[in-house]
């Protein structure tokens, strides 16, 4: 993976210069996103809260980093040859990132995803040239889970790989050599806490590992939505429980400890459980007070950052990631009818209901 590391270092060295040319094409444009100071929330807590603007990646989300890292790793190991097929099971954003990378590097892209995902994501994948297979949403233990179907499909093809984003640790490594160093550089090494939710575990493990190596005092926390087992796993000291319940957030929460998360899970400082009500409220608060049009997982991360800042005390500096924008979920997040169908109509602050313009 040394060449991935070299690429990451080259990307870091470009900083935010507007005259930079991404000589590697789209893959060279991934990363080095701004760190946004969340002014209103920082003033309310007496802390400094920052969000890393991952929605500014070329494919529109933090998953571009994993997509680039995994594909480059497969190329370097000789697992995929020119003109081959890349297959993944994904809740959306990793698939979108992979579809972009496949178009840029000449591969066919095939995506298996739960049929519970937003239509915006499915349409975008198709427009990017990916072959999309929506399948029933069933637990990982079920052989019909979208990940298992993706693996079986890839195994039947010549010159094809299943990228295995959940357990392929090239995912976490991509964040270890890019996202983590960027945050460290942007905060000038002055960071008290980092918190984010996890689906594959790549971001949390990669960033957490890097920051802990640089500063053992920095606390790394996991944020978890309803329906995920990870909050209780971390809080109980490692006891897995049966998964139950669900969340309106997409692409986060987990019923097991993935290989990516396993790299760092025992070094976590703690975990926070964030309700859907809090996430929805924050979607609207961020739009109103910060001008940020973000998805529910980003909003959940910001809720967690606020709660962590309160735990660490006034003057603390906390960073989270703003995973993607709301445009991939707008038909749900800004629909009064849809929110009410999920029992979340009252989660929107009264003064902000003017933004729920869809019926």
């Amino acid at each position: 993976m040394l060449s991935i590391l070299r690429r990451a270092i080259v990307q870091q060295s470009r900083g935010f210069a507007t005259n930079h040319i991404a000589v590697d094409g789209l893959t060279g444009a991934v990363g080095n996103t701004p760190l946004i100071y969340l002014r209103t929330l920082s003033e309310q807590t007496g802390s400094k809260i920052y969000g890393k603007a991952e929605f500014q990646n070329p494919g529109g989300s933090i998953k571009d980093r994993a997509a680039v890292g995994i594909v480059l790793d497969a190329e370097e190991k000789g697992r995929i040859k020119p003109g081959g097929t890349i297959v993944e099971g994904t809740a959306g954003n990793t698939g979108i990132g992979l579809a972009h990378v496949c178009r840029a590097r000449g591969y066919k892209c095939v995506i298996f995803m739960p049929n519970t995902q937003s239509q915006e994501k499915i349409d975008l994948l198709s427009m990017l040239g990916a072959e999309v297979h929506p399948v029933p949403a069933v637990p990982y233990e079920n052989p019909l889970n979208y990940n298992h179907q993706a693996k079986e499909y890839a195994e039947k093809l010549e010159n094809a790989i299943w990228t295995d984003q959940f357990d392929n640790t090239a995912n976490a490594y991509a964040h270890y050599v890019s996202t983590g160093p960027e945050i460290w550089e942007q905060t000038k090494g002055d960071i008290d806490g980092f918190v984010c939710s996890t689906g594959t575990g790549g971001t949390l493990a990669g960033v957490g590992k890097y920051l802990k190596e640089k500063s053992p005092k920095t606390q790394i926390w996991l944020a978890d939505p309803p329906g995920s087992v990870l909050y209780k796993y971390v809080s109980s000291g490692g006891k897995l429980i049966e998964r139950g319940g669900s969340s309106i957030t997409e692409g986060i929460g987990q019923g097991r400890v993935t290989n990516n998360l396993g790299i760092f899970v025992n070094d976590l400082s703690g975990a926070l459980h964030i309700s859907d009500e809090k996430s929805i409220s924050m979607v609207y608060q961020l739009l109103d007070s910060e001008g940020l049009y973000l998805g529910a997982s980003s909003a959940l991360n910001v809720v967690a950052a606020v709660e962590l800042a309160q735990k660490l005390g006034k003057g603390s500096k906390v960073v989270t990631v703003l995973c993607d924008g709301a445009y991939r979920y707008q038909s749900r997040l800004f629909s009064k009818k849809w929110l009410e169908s999920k029992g979340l109509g009252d989660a929107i602050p009264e003064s902000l209901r003017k933004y729920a313009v869809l019926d």
Side-chain angles (χ1 to χ4, degrees), residues 16 31-36 51-54 56 182 186 322:
F16 301 106
N32 281 291
T33 54
L35 193 63
I36 299 176
K52 191 141 174 65
E54 292 300 293
Q56 291 195 6
E182 287 171 32
Q186 289 167 321
L322 309 178

Side-chain angles (χ1 to χ4, degrees), residues 14-324:
R14 69 179 170 90
F16 301 106
T18 56
N19 63 351
H20 169 75
I21 297 175
V23 294
D24 288 336
L26 178 136
T27 58
V30 172
N32 281 291
T33 54
L35 193 63
I36 299 176
Y37 175 63
L38 303 179
R39 176 184 51 81
T40 302
L41 296 171
S42 295
E43 291 174 353
Q44 289 173 355
T45 59
S47 300
K48 291 186 177 179
I49 299 173
Y50 303 91
K52 191 141 174 65
E54 292 300 293
F55 55 85
Q56 291 195 6
N57 281 307
S61 87
I62 194 167
K63 294 296 187 177
D64 287 7
R65 295 182 187 262
V68 170
I70 289 172
V71 171
L72 293 182
D73 179 65
E75 289 177 351
E76 290 161 5
K77 291 178 177 176
R79 296 179 58 223
I80 188 76
K81 297 178 177 61
T85 301
I86 290 177
V87 186
E88 182 55 285
T90 167
N93 280 337
T94 301
I96 292 166
L98 284 170
H100 277 284
V101 174
C102 285
R103 292 272 55 77
R105 301 185 78 80
Y107 301 116
K108 180 181 179 181
C109 183
V110 179
I111 300 297
F112 285 77
M113 66 190 303
N115 58 9
T116 54
Q117 301 306 295
S118 66
Q119 191 61 42
E120 289 94 337
K121 283 184 178 178
I122 296 172
D123 291 343
L124 179 54
L125 281 165
S126 298
M127 285 186 278
L128 288 169
E131 180 182 315
V132 185
H133 297 265
V135 299
V138 295
Y140 183 81
E141 295 76 18
N142 189 315
L144 294 179
N145 177 274
Y146 63 98
N147 289 291
H148 304 317
Q149 292 200 50
K151 179 183 179 183
E152 291 171 4
Y153 185 91
E155 289 172 345
K156 296 175 183 177
L157 302 177
E158 294 292 330
N159 189 20
I161 60 164
W162 169 50
T163 48
D164 190 14
Q165 62 164 325
F166 290 90
D167 294 312
N168 182 346
T169 55
N171 177 346
Y173 186 78
H175 292 284
Y176 177 80
V177 298
S178 67
T179 324
E182 287 171 32
I183 290 172
W184 182 255
E185 179 183 345
Q186 289 167 321
T187 59
K188 296 181 172 57
D190 187 7
I191 174 173
D192 298 299
F194 174 81
V195 61
C196 73
S197 53
T198 179
T200 66
T203 303
L204 184 63
V207 173
K209 187 173 188 294
Y210 182 86
L211 293 179
K212 271 294 189 183
E213 288 177 359
K214 298 296 288 187
S215 172
K217 75 174 182 65
T218 301
Q219 294 195 22
I220 312 295
W221 286 64
L222 177 148
D224 218 26
S228 175
V229 305
L230 297 178
Y231 166 73
K232 289 188 177 178
Y233 179 85
V234 174
S235 302
S236 68
K239 295 179 181 178
L240 271 179
I241 62 169
E242 186 174 345
R243 191 170 190 172
S246 62
S247 171
I248 56 92
T249 56
E250 297 184 20
I252 59 173
Q254 189 53 261
R256 65 188 180 98
V257 176
T258 64
N259 284 356
N260 280 291
L261 182 59
I263 292 171
F264 191 74
V265 69
N266 292 329
D267 297 308
L268 286 169
S269 306
L272 298 165
H273 179 268
I274 309 298
S275 69
D276 281 348
E277 288 79 4
K278 288 182 179 180
S279 296
I280 289 296
S281 177
M282 186 59 76
V283 166
Y284 285 80
Q285 289 180 59
L286 288 167
L287 177 58
D288 186 68
S289 64
E290 307 287 353
L292 291 170
Y293 186 60
L294 301 173
S297 58
S298 298
L300 181 149
N301 283 346
V302 174
V303 173
V306 169
E307 294 189 6
L308 180 56
Q310 291 169 336
K311 285 180 178 291
L312 297 179
K314 292 186 182 299
S316 58
K317 297 177 181 178
V318 176
V319 175
T320 191
V321 291
L322 309 178
C323 316
D324 64 3

